[in-house]
Amino acid sequence: MTSTPTRLSYQARILVVPLGASGNALVQSMAAGGLTNMRIVADAGQSAASVRDIRAAVGSEITETVADLAASADMMVLLGSDLTQVPSAFVATLAKAARANGLLLAGVLVDQQNWESARGAYALTVLRRELDMLVFVREVGLATAFIDVLKGGRRKPVAVDATPNPADPATEESTGRGAS
């Protein structure tokens, strides 16, 4: 006998990795735009990362290993604009940890810049090689909405009736007992 899951929705545990100063500016804009429940990750050297909540003040970070971070998340989203600022070695370290833990590894580039420079072209090659998904958008609002969707969207409290009506077709469909 199987039981019906009681969890009605899912919110992914997302690590956001700003790619340089342009990524940090995007994170600040996203926080101001209402994005919550995200952990921000920065390179702390030697396979370590500094981590803080998106709403926490800069300087309140804790240090964790990249492997431990990957084990505690569902996906990583690398975020930036200026491709010359991409820390390619850190991207490779994150990708290795993400693959070892079965995480989705995505990149979001907002109004990407300097892709035609030698360093920018190399960074783009690294991102294409290491990421599962690379998305290009024109403005930070689109990136904010995209990441919000990836994490499962914003939640509003919903009153739940604990006694489902067996005659309700939605109840039958959700429990798999509909007419055949």
Side-chain angles (χ1 to χ4, degrees), residues 27-28 32 40 61 72 78 81 84 87 90 94 103 115 124 128 132 135 139 158-159 166:
V27 165
Q28 289 174 359
I40 308 304
E61 298 87 359
S72 70
L78 285 63
S81 178
T84 62
F90 189 52
L94 291 171
L103 301 185
W115 59 270
L124 193 53
R128 286 183 172 153
D132 299 314
V135 177
E139 59 188 46
V158 177

Side-chain angles (χ1 to χ4, degrees), residues 135-157:
V135 177
F136 300 88
V137 296
R138 289 176 295 208
E139 59 188 46
V140 69
L142 295 170
T144 303
F146 178 75
I147 292 174
D148 200 27
V149 167
L150 287 177
K151 86 173 180 174
R154 296 190 181 149
R155 301 288 187 268
K156 293 180 182 177

Side-chain angles (χ1 to χ4, degrees), residues 31-165:
L35 196 59
T36 60
N37 299 325
M38 312 285 277
R39 294 172 59 194
I40 308 304
V41 177
D43 187 1
Q46 299 180 341
S47 295
S50 61
V51 185
R52 68 175 172 84
D53 183 78
I54 192 168
R55 296 284 184 161
V58 173
S60 65
E61 298 87 359
I62 61 168
T63 302
E64 293 187 39
T65 67
V66 171
D68 286 345
L69 279 173
S72 70
D74 296 311
M75 80 179 61
M76 290 185 199
V77 177
L78 285 63
L79 178 67
S81 178
D82 186 342
L83 287 167
T84 62
Q85 298 174 356
V86 173
S88 298
F90 189 52
V91 169
T93 300
L94 291 171
K96 182 178 178 183
R99 282 191 293 276
N101 286 281
L103 301 185
L104 173 67
L105 190 58
V108 179
L109 296 176
V110 179
D111 189 28
Q112 82 261 5
Q113 301 165 12
N114 297 319
W115 59 270
E116 69 283 351
S117 70
R119 186 171 178 180
Y122 175 74
L124 193 53
T125 300
V126 169
L127 292 173
R128 286 183 172 153
R129 179 185 66 226
E130 300 292 356
L131 303 179
D132 299 314
M133 168 189 343
L134 186 56
V135 177
F136 300 88
V137 296
R138 289 176 295 208
E139 59 188 46
V140 69
L142 295 170
T144 303
F146 178 75
I147 292 174
D148 200 27
V149 167
L150 287 177
K151 86 173 180 174
R154 296 190 181 149
R155 301 288 187 268
K156 293 180 182 177
V158 177
V160 178
D161 184 4
T163 56
N165 179 356

